[in-house]
Amino acid sequence: MHPCKRIEIIVERSQIDRLGRLLAAAGAPDYTLIHHAGGHGDRGHRRADDVTDTDENCVFILAVEQDEVVAAVVEGVKPILQRVGGTCLVTEAVWTGS
Amino acid sequence: MHPCKRIEIIVERSQIDRLGRLLAAAGAPDYTLIHHAGGHGDRGHRRADDVTDTDENCVFILAVEQDEVVAAVVEGVKPILQRVGGTCLVTEAVWTGS
Amino acid sequence: MHPCKRIEIIVERSQIDRLGRLLAAAGAPDYTLIHHAGGHGDRGHRRADDVTDTDENCVFILAVEQDEVVAAVVEGVKPILQRVGGTCLVTEAVWTGS
Amino acid sequence: MSGTFFANLTSPPLLFFCLGLLATFARSDLDIPNPVAKAVSIYLLLAIGFKGGVALSESPFSVDVLLALGAALLLAAAVPVFVYFMISRWFDAADAAAVAATYGSISAVTFVTATHYLDSLGIAWGGHFVAAMALMEAPAIVVGLYLYRRSAGKGTEAGAGGVEETTLSELLREAFLNGSVVLILGSLLIGWVNGKDGMDQLAPFVKAPFVGMLCIFLLDMGLVAARRLRDLQAASSQEQSVPLTSMVGFAVLLPALNGSVALLLAVLAGMSEGDALLLTILGASASYIAVPAAMRLALPAANPGIYLTMALAVTFPLNIILGIPLFHLIIQIIAN
Amino acid sequence: MSGTFFANLTSPPLLFFCLGLLATFARSDLDIPNPVAKAVSIYLLLAIGFKGGVALSESPFSVDVLLALGAALLLAAAVPVFVYFMISRWFDAADAAAVAATYGSISAVTFVTATHYLDSLGIAWGGHFVAAMALMEAPAIVVGLYLYRRSAGKGTEAGAGGVEETTLSELLREAFLNGSVVLILGSLLIGWVNGKDGMDQLAPFVKAPFVGMLCIFLLDMGLVAARRLRDLQAASSQEQSVPLTSMVGFAVLLPALNGSVALLLAVLAGMSEGDALLLTILGASASYIAVPAAMRLALPAANPGIYLTMALAVTFPLNIILGIPLFHLIIQIIAN
Amino acid sequence: MSGTFFANLTSPPLLFFCLGLLATFARSDLDIPNPVAKAVSIYLLLAIGFKGGVALSESPFSVDVLLALGAALLLAAAVPVFVYFMISRWFDAADAAAVAATYGSISAVTFVTATHYLDSLGIAWGGHFVAAMALMEAPAIVVGLYLYRRSAGKGTEAGAGGVEETTLSELLREAFLNGSVVLILGSLLIGWVNGKDGMDQLAPFVKAPFVGMLCIFLLDMGLVAARRLRDLQAASSQEQSVPLTSMVGFAVLLPALNGSVALLLAVLAGMSEGDALLLTILGASASYIAVPAAMRLALPAANPGIYLTMALAVTFPLNIILGIPLFHLIIQIIAN
Ligand SMILES: Nc1ncnc2c1ncn2[C@@H]1O[C@H](COP(=O)(O)O)[C@@H](O)[C@H]1O
Ligand SMILES: Nc1ncnc2c1ncn2[C@@H]1O[C@H](COP(=O)(O)O)[C@@H](O)[C@H]1O
Ligand SMILES: Nc1ncnc2c1ncn2[C@@H]1O[C@H](COP(=O)(O)O)[C@@H](O)[C@H]1O
Ligand code: NA
Ligand code: NA
Ligand code: NA
């Protein structure tokens, strides 16, 4: 059991690959990914059940121990969130890993 | 990066529209919604894969900055949770938005 | 509103029944379950959309009030995580239940 | 007669239903993913609607049609009333209202299985019964809720603490614009507009794979019903507001009773063999989709562990396995 | 002529599309789950590709085929250019580029609906138009982005703060190896290799249920388009970069214009009645899958609330309901 | 003979498999959503089971049937044993046991593809092979785990720290009541009970679209196998317990060897051309669904990156593309 940060990043489906590469580059390659989420934000209502996949969100969950990696992830996603929208939440947590 | 509360509300599928209206009225219109969740609670086992949609849960995730909005949301969902069941969790978090 | 711990356990689909039994035995029978998650970890990339279900993760979310139950859950999942992989995160939260 | 009874027991759809029941009881992990079940259900509703519409376009709009629709509406409105008063001694008001609404409404798959039963015996039935079925989905919801509110006194349900009450318009929309109602009635109308020409185009879609799709859906229903039955057993050990025996008892009694009432109506209206069976089965069947969805919204105080379990775990299998051939037997006896 | 127009309005696929529109407007909860829509879409692309390939294998590779493919590519490259310059006074650079790409590309379902329209009237069309359609999905993406980068000056899009720019190879892959392009072209090739023998094997799959599958897909498209239309109404009250009237105006104007250009090309190339209608409809239709996916990646500054809504909520229904029969009428008038 | 070989290479199912492989290698985003693949897989298992049952009902229960079932069970029990001892020098005990179980069990889709291969050549095969296939899914799991526990010493797997050991009953249920086993055997039984009459009802469902459904499933399998192959390449750079060459080597060698053993058995039992090919292919194929599911539960120490990748990324494509026609060639040579 180690103290860590739980990072939760909500972006639209189109950004999955880009975010995956970004996380690996930031030193946080491990994550859990929940697909087919919907939501509501500045760009209005988003449905996970549309024919056109641009309207679908997904949720990345990361447990990260080192503070500098957390900072790198947050800095890295910021411009993505600014350009395409989305949200990033960081919480204190305690991690029991494999 | 702002400190905020992460609110996580788990209710059954039938309450999605009602909860959406409630959140908007409470001043927290933005959320992320994960569909097709299952679970176990006072009303027993719930499967996300039943023919009858009453047996399906969903998860609302909200980042909210103002404490009075957090309070309004929590007060607002309480009667829903009491009447139809479900759970609401509030956590301290740090938010990087779009 | 009670202070509680939010426990988030990410394991692969094959372990759902085992984990359900373990949670009940540990005194934390209630949970929410998100299916069809993907991810990346020590065992590489995992896709939620493969023909073979071994490649699928799922997310258990539990709100637990008593510290000894939290400890029992964390101790209980540790050997599962060690044997089959996965992650367990514990966060401080405030709970409004049904 | 016992020949047709046995034939029904070995028909592929029924056997797949039993396979589903058995698989769950044997604790197999056989599973039909929810989107697959949804797809099959959309197919069945569209196909039965379209076929009904085409059939309707071929027979002139007659007194028979009006009689059938009238009988259907009468059933949908009257059944919940007498069910409610009959069971309200054993169930509390909310549960009684929900059970009443459930049994006043219908199960589309039970209806579809009955049409397949008739088709496989070569017995004719009227396409307007598809319309009758669609019309019967909603009224029981409104009647059930009315009965509850009358008994509970106005305002009880209007939660203190700010939960908005379900408005009447919200409720009517939920009841009458339920997805399955719209899909059936829409397909019926499209079939009616297109008539035989449309059927020539769509027959390979709405007719050819129909029985197979019904098999898959009933396989899933078997899995689901058996899971509910298992949950019921588990729940029987806990203390509950309604004892298990009352639940199972009424889940057996109500279809027999409602089916008989419907059968009486059919006889009074002088319906043909096939039509009489369909009206009877509509009366006997109970809703496990539209009504529970509306109840969770408008009457959350009712426990789905009671009304939904009765409809899904007991009444549905009963109608599919025994109800259809038994009522058919009775109709044949009456006819002779 | 007005007879075929009316026949189209009452064809099952179109009526199911209208059912979808109506269901959403009436606020019904009718819903086709996303995986079901995906399954139907995979079926339609595979079936139309395979049928096109078999048709191609039966007709010798002729000048007609080359002319059609050439015309299609010309359209896909030229339409975005003039659309971009035409609308850039009303839209900012990113939105204009995205709209240009959207209208330069095509909608496979609009195309499929047009082939069904022709089939139901017994009018022949060339299998190579399936290839033409697949070829038209991608080029407009590249042209649209080129126009944007030229106008915006190099590097603007390369985000400060470390967002990697979409590389050219990433972009070309997104455009040309888009799932639907690969599925259509692959199925076309497989149909072409297998020819009539393959069709004997696969006809009960790719032909028999085709119209029914199209009905289900158009039902879903009706639901989706109406939801977008509703969002559009809601958005009209907010302040937006592009006024609602410009959006709707261009969403009506562009298909008329692009369709007319395509029709001119078809006439110049001396195409048959069926082929001319297909090229026209390819010109008139706008992409709501491949292009938006590429735009979100490469041009996130463009607002999907503009280009996607125009294509999906206005142009798509317009083409399906009015575009196909109207352009057909014009072609028939020209022919006589 | 080389004619049939070439014919197989251009059959639609195989070409769609190759399309899937190519699409992934070209990094296209073509994707079959998981519920769609599940739906197609449920369809294929139900259809092959039902067809097998009807076939079985038409041929009397003979010595041939018993011989085939016996041979199948013998294979399922013996193959894991010799595979385990053969490879245990290169793999550690858990991985060796899992690979042994994987190759002792079967792949239903490989079997279905072989039946389609035979059907398209007009070669008869016995419906009881469907039962043989279903019977072969589970035993290898039990044998493999027995071998592992014997070698590892009792109790090793019983995790310290409270992880409950998989009980024998849990294991047997996982093995023998696996969803696909239940679905195939159940459909077989239903087909057998219904016989030719049932087939008349269900033929438009289980026969007409069969090849098309197989095409879609193989398209998906191509996508999945290629993704695994890519992961394998990526993994080859990391240090791993088993070198890449051993994995690929055995994934090629084992189907050749097991197929040959099965072929020998078929020849000894005097099976017909079609039956011999099916038994051979059952021997040669490896499980990528039932066995991995059981292994993750009962033998998590085994690395799915080894046994699953071998079965899915190498052996499956090999059998589909080369195994079926090559073994057929050998059978024809032996027969003459
Ligand atoms: N305050 C918030 N809390 C939770 N999720 C949010 C919030 N704001 C935005 N999102 C999510 O991010 C997506 C994109 O947001 P936006 O770009 O603001 O439309 C939304 O569809 C939501 O899923
Ligand atoms: N302690 C808990 N932790 C997490 N989720 C819960 C908890 N209790 C209930 N839930 C969720 O809320 C749903 C409804 O709960 P209930 O009304 O208690 O049956 C359950 O199916 C779970 O998904
Ligand atoms: N640091 C992490 N943060 C979030 N999820 C993780 C992390 N590490 C592993 N996981 C999840 O646990 C699964 C199994 O991990 P592993 O056994 O390391 O491959 C992964 O596929 C992820 O879904
Ligand atoms: Na009823
Ligand atoms: Na166009
Ligand atoms: Na084998």
Side-chain angles (χ1 to χ4, degrees):
Chain A
M1 291 181 36
H2 319 274
C4 73
K5 295 276 193 296
R6 177 186 188 276
I7 310 180
E8 184 170 52
I9 305 170
I10 295 152
V11 286
E12 65 175 61
R13 185 182 160 134
S14 64
Q15 308 299 313
I16 291 182
D17 287 350
R18 185 173 281 166
L19 200 56
R21 286 195 300 269
L22 185 149
L23 295 177
D30 293 351
Y31 59 85
T32 296
L33 177 53
I34 301 172
H35 290 270
H36 312 305
H40 189 277
D42 300 340
R43 285 169 302 140
H45 206 91
R46 296 168 64 78
R47 294 175 200 83
D49 57 355
D50 244 25
V51 278
T52 162
D53 288 335
T54 49
D55 224 26
E56 195 176 301
N57 293 329
C58 63
V59 182
F60 280 79
I61 300 168
L62 290 81
V64 178
E65 274 181 82
Q66 306 94 311
D67 282 341
E68 58 279 12
V69 175
V70 175
V73 169
V74 172
E75 281 313 300
V77 296
K78 210 181 272 179
I80 294 187
L81 301 183
Q82 263 151 16
R83 285 174 69 200
V84 305
T87 294
C88 170
L89 290 175
V90 180
T91 325
E92 300 287 336
V94 175
W95 178 8
T96 311
S98 55
Chain B
M1 291 181 36
H2 319 274
C4 73
K5 295 276 192 295
R6 177 186 187 276
I7 310 181
E8 183 170 54
I9 305 169
I10 295 153
V11 287
E12 65 176 59
R13 185 181 160 134
S14 64
Q15 308 299 314
I16 291 181
D17 287 349
R18 184 173 282 166
L19 200 55
R21 287 194 300 269
L22 186 149
L23 295 178
D30 294 350
Y31 58 84
T32 296
L33 177 53
I34 301 174
H35 290 271
H36 312 306
H40 189 277
D42 299 340
R43 286 169 299 140
H45 206 92
R46 296 169 64 78
R47 293 175 201 83
D49 57 355
D50 244 24
V51 278
T52 162
D53 288 335
T54 49
D55 223 25
E56 195 175 302
N57 294 328
C58 63
V59 182
F60 281 79
I61 301 169
L62 290 81
V64 178
E65 273 179 84
Q66 307 93 313
D67 283 341
E68 58 280 12
V69 175
V70 175
V73 169
V74 172
E75 282 313 299
V77 296
K78 211 182 272 179
I80 294 187
L81 301 183
Q82 263 151 16
R83 285 174 68 200
V84 305
T87 295
C88 169
L89 291 175
V90 180
T91 325
E92 299 287 335
V94 175
W95 178 7
T96 311
S98 55
Chain C
M1 290 180 36
H2 319 274
C4 74
K5 295 276 193 295
R6 176 186 188 276
I7 310 180
E8 183 170 54
I9 306 169
I10 295 153
V11 286
E12 66 176 58
R13 184 183 161 134
S14 64
Q15 308 299 312
I16 290 181
D17 287 350
R18 185 172 281 166
L19 199 56
R21 286 194 301 269
L22 186 149
L23 295 178
D30 294 351
Y31 58 84
T32 296
L33 177 53
I34 301 172
H35 290 271
H36 310 306
H40 189 277
D42 298 341
R43 284 169 301 140
H45 206 91
R46 295 168 65 76
R47 292 175 201 85
D49 57 355
D50 244 24
V51 278
T52 164
D53 288 335
T54 50
D55 223 26
E56 195 174 301
N57 293 328
C58 62
V59 181
F60 281 80
I61 301 168
L62 291 81
V64 178
E65 273 179 85
Q66 307 93 312
D67 283 341
E68 58 279 12
V69 175
V70 175
V73 169
V74 171
E75 282 313 300
V77 296
K78 211 182 271 178
I80 294 187
L81 301 184
Q82 263 151 17
R83 284 174 69 201
V84 306
T87 294
C88 170
L89 291 175
V90 181
T91 325
E92 300 287 334
V94 175
W95 179 7
T96 310
S98 56
Chain D
M1 283 184 199
S2 61
T4 64
F5 188 83
F6 181 74
N8 180 52
L9 281 182
T10 60
S11 81
L14 196 74
L15 288 177
F16 276 103
F17 182 68
C18 296
L19 178 61
L21 291 174
L22 285 178
T24 297
F25 287 138
R27 310 195 80 87
S28 162
D29 64 353
L30 180 57
D31 179 46
I32 310 282
N34 182 281
V36 180
K38 286 267 169 67
V40 177
S41 148
I42 289 169
Y43 169 83
L44 290 176
L45 298 179
L46 190 155
I48 195 78
F50 192 84
K51 289 198 283 188
V54 172
L56 210 56
S57 78
E58 285 174 338
S59 66
F61 206 77
S62 66
V63 179
D64 276 11
V65 172
L66 285 179
L67 261 177
L69 298 183
L73 281 176
L74 184 64
L75 271 177
V79 164
V81 178
F82 72 72
V83 167
Y84 179 81
F85 288 108
M86 190 167 98
I87 67 176
S88 58
R89 225 195 311 163
W90 286 269
F91 297 72
D92 72 30
D95 289 333
V99 170
T102 302
Y103 282 85
S105 183
I106 55 92
S107 146
V109 174
T110 309
F111 176 81
V112 165
T113 308
T115 63
H116 170 252
Y117 172 86
L118 291 173
D119 287 346
S120 68
L121 294 178
I123 300 173
W125 53 276
H128 52 286
F129 269 88
V130 176
M133 167 186 66
L135 289 181
M136 284 179 78
E137 286 223 54
I141 296 170
V142 182
V143 174
L145 289 174
Y146 169 78
L147 289 167
Y148 172 72
R149 294 205 178 169
R150 220 199 46 152
S151 97
K154 259 208 147 96
T156 332
E157 191 62 9
V163 186
E164 42 174 328
E165 172 141 10
T166 315
T167 61
L168 186 68
S169 83
E170 201 185 358
L171 184 69
L172 291 178
R173 199 176 64 221
E174 182 69 27
F176 289 94
L177 292 176
N178 180 284
S180 57
V181 175
V182 169
L183 185 52
I184 299 170
L185 285 184
S187 306
L188 186 93
L189 213 75
I190 294 174
W192 185 70
V193 167
N194 274 274
K196 226 189 99 26
D197 284 0
M199 188 47 100
D200 290 345
Q201 270 185 67
L202 280 181
F205 183 71
V206 300
K207 282 190 173 166
F210 193 80
V211 187
M213 296 296 257
L214 185 59
C215 287
I216 289 192
F217 199 78
L218 284 177
L219 173 62
D220 186 45
M221 288 301 297
L223 296 169
V224 169
R227 274 186 221 141
R228 295 259 163 190
L229 265 177
R230 227 170 44 192
D231 291 356
L232 194 63
Q233 286 177 305
S236 71
S237 49
Q238 299 165 18
E239 76 192 291
Q240 235 191 331
S241 58
V242 182
L244 187 59
T245 45
S246 313
M247 278 177 63
V248 174
F250 280 114
V252 172
L253 190 66
L254 290 176
L257 185 68
N258 299 342
S260 305
V261 172
L263 177 50
L264 192 69
L265 230 66
V267 171
L268 291 179
M271 288 184 187
S272 75
E273 184 179 356
D275 290 2
L277 183 60
L278 291 185
L279 190 73
T280 306
I281 280 303
L282 287 175
S285 74
S287 167
Y288 49 83
I289 293 185
V291 174
M295 289 300 129
R296 289 310 291 158
L297 217 54
L299 192 48
N303 180 358
I306 294 173
Y307 59 88
L308 187 49
T309 303
M310 287 171 63
L312 200 50
V314 184
T315 301
F316 179 79
L318 200 73
N319 277 329
I320 293 288
I321 300 179
L322 293 179
I324 294 173
L326 278 186
F327 278 120
H328 185 215
L329 207 67
I330 298 175
I331 289 170
Q332 285 181 315
I333 291 170
I334 293 176
N336 295 332
Chain E
M1 282 184 200
S2 62
T4 65
F5 188 83
F6 181 74
N8 180 53
L9 280 183
T10 61
S11 81
L14 196 75
L15 287 177
F16 276 102
F17 181 69
C18 296
L19 179 60
L21 291 174
L22 284 177
T24 297
F25 287 138
R27 309 194 81 88
S28 162
D29 64 353
L30 181 56
D31 181 44
I32 310 282
N34 182 280
V36 180
K38 285 267 169 66
V40 177
S41 147
I42 289 169
Y43 169 83
L44 290 176
L45 297 179
L46 189 155
I48 195 80
F50 192 84
K51 289 199 282 189
V54 172
L56 209 56
S57 78
E58 286 174 338
S59 65
F61 206 77
S62 66
V63 178
D64 274 11
V65 173
L66 285 180
L67 260 178
L69 298 184
L73 281 176
L74 184 64
L75 271 176
V79 164
V81 178
F82 73 72
V83 168
Y84 180 81
F85 288 109
M86 191 167 98
I87 67 176
S88 58
R89 225 195 312 163
W90 287 268
F91 297 71
D92 72 30
D95 289 333
V99 170
T102 301
Y103 282 85
S105 184
I106 55 91
S107 147
V109 175
T110 309
F111 176 82
V112 165
T113 308
T115 64
H116 170 253
Y117 172 86
L118 291 173
D119 287 347
S120 68
L121 294 178
I123 300 173
W125 52 277
H128 52 285
F129 269 88
V130 176
M133 166 184 67
L135 289 181
M136 283 178 79
E137 285 223 54
I141 296 171
V142 181
V143 174
L145 289 174
Y146 169 78
L147 289 168
Y148 173 72
R149 294 204 177 170
R150 220 200 44 154
S151 96
K154 258 208 147 96
T156 332
E157 192 62 11
V163 186
E164 42 173 328
E165 170 141 11
T166 315
T167 61
L168 186 69
S169 84
E170 201 185 357
L171 184 69
L172 291 178
R173 200 177 63 224
E174 183 70 26
F176 289 96
L177 293 175
N178 180 284
S180 56
V181 176
V182 168
L183 184 52
I184 299 170
L185 285 183
S187 305
L188 185 94
L189 214 74
I190 294 174
W192 184 70
V193 167
N194 273 275
K196 226 189 100 23
D197 283 0
M199 188 47 100
D200 290 345
Q201 270 184 69
L202 280 182
F205 183 71
V206 300
K207 280 189 174 167
F210 192 80
V211 187
M213 296 296 257
L214 184 59
C215 288
I216 289 193
F217 199 78
L218 284 178
L219 173 61
D220 187 44
M221 288 300 298
L223 296 168
V224 169
R227 274 186 220 142
R228 295 258 163 193
L229 265 178
R230 227 170 44 191
D231 291 357
L232 194 64
Q233 285 177 304
S236 71
S237 49
Q238 299 165 18
E239 74 191 294
Q240 234 192 331
S241 58
V242 182
L244 188 60
T245 44
S246 312
M247 277 177 62
V248 175
F250 280 114
V252 172
L253 189 67
L254 290 177
L257 185 67
N258 299 343
S260 304
V261 171
L263 177 48
L264 191 70
L265 230 64
V267 170
L268 291 180
M271 289 185 187
S272 74
E273 184 179 354
D275 291 2
L277 182 61
L278 291 184
L279 190 73
T280 306
I281 281 301
L282 287 175
S285 74
S287 167
Y288 50 82
I289 294 185
V291 173
M295 289 300 128
R296 288 310 291 158
L297 219 53
L299 192 49
N303 181 0
I306 295 174
Y307 59 88
L308 187 51
T309 303
M310 287 171 64
L312 201 50
V314 184
T315 301
F316 180 79
L318 199 74
N319 277 329
I320 293 288
I321 300 179
L322 293 180
I324 294 174
L326 278 187
F327 277 119
H328 185 214
L329 207 66
I330 298 176
I331 289 171
Q332 286 181 315
I333 290 171
I334 292 176
N336 296 332
Chain F
M1 283 185 198
S2 61
T4 64
F5 188 84
F6 180 74
N8 180 53
L9 281 183
T10 61
S11 81
L14 196 75
L15 288 177
F16 276 103
F17 182 69
C18 296
L19 178 61
L21 291 173
L22 285 178
T24 297
F25 286 138
R27 310 195 81 88
S28 162
D29 64 354
L30 180 57
D31 180 45
I32 309 282
N34 182 281
V36 180
K38 286 266 169 66
V40 177
S41 148
I42 288 169
Y43 169 83
L44 290 176
L45 297 179
L46 190 156
I48 195 81
F50 192 84
K51 289 198 281 187
V54 172
L56 209 56
S57 79
E58 286 175 339
S59 66
F61 206 77
S62 66
V63 179
D64 275 11
V65 172
L66 286 180
L67 262 178
L69 297 183
L73 281 176
L74 185 64
L75 271 176
V79 164
V81 178
F82 71 72
V83 167
Y84 180 80
F85 288 109
M86 192 166 97
I87 68 176
S88 57
R89 229 200 303 167
W90 286 270
F91 296 71
D92 71 31
D95 290 334
V99 170
T102 301
Y103 282 86
S105 182
I106 56 90
S107 147
V109 175
T110 309
F111 176 82
V112 165
T113 308
T115 63
H116 170 253
Y117 172 86
L118 291 173
D119 286 347
S120 68
L121 294 178
I123 299 173
W125 53 276
H128 53 285
F129 269 88
V130 176
M133 167 185 67
L135 290 181
M136 284 178 78
E137 285 222 54
I141 295 170
V142 182
V143 174
L145 289 175
Y146 169 79
L147 289 168
Y148 173 72
R149 293 204 178 169
R150 220 199 45 153
S151 96
K154 259 210 144 92
T156 333
E157 192 62 12
V163 187
E164 42 174 327
E165 171 140 10
T166 316
T167 62
L168 185 68
S169 84
E170 199 184 0
L171 184 68
L172 291 178
R173 200 177 63 222
E174 182 70 26
F176 288 95
L177 292 175
N178 180 284
S180 56
V181 175
V182 168
L183 185 53
I184 298 170
L185 285 183
S187 305
L188 185 95
L189 214 73
I190 294 173
W192 184 71
V193 167
N194 274 276
K196 227 190 98 23
D197 284 1
M199 188 47 101
D200 290 346
Q201 270 184 68
L202 280 182
F205 183 71
V206 300
K207 281 189 173 166
F210 193 80
V211 187
M213 295 297 257
L214 185 59
C215 288
I216 289 191
F217 199 78
L218 284 177
L219 173 62
D220 187 44
M221 289 300 298
L223 296 168
V224 169
R227 274 185 220 143
R228 294 259 163 193
L229 266 177
R230 227 169 45 191
D231 291 356
L232 195 63
Q233 285 178 304
S236 71
S237 49
Q238 300 164 18
E239 76 192 293
Q240 234 192 332
S241 59
V242 182
L244 187 60
T245 45
S246 312
M247 278 176 62
V248 175
F250 280 113
V252 172
L253 189 67
L254 290 177
L257 185 68
N258 299 342
S260 305
V261 172
L263 177 49
L264 191 70
L265 230 64
V267 170
L268 291 179
M271 288 184 187
S272 74
E273 184 179 355
D275 291 3
L277 182 61
L278 291 185
L279 191 72
T280 306
I281 281 302
L282 287 175
S285 74
S287 167
Y288 49 83
I289 293 185
V291 174
M295 290 300 129
R296 288 311 291 159
L297 219 53
L299 192 50
N303 180 359
I306 294 174
Y307 59 88
L308 187 51
T309 303
M310 285 171 65
L312 201 50
V314 183
T315 301
F316 180 79
L318 199 73
N319 277 330
I320 293 288
I321 299 178
L322 293 179
I324 295 173
L326 277 186
F327 277 119
H328 185 214
L329 207 67
I330 298 176
I331 289 170
Q332 286 181 315
I333 290 170
I334 293 176
N336 296 332

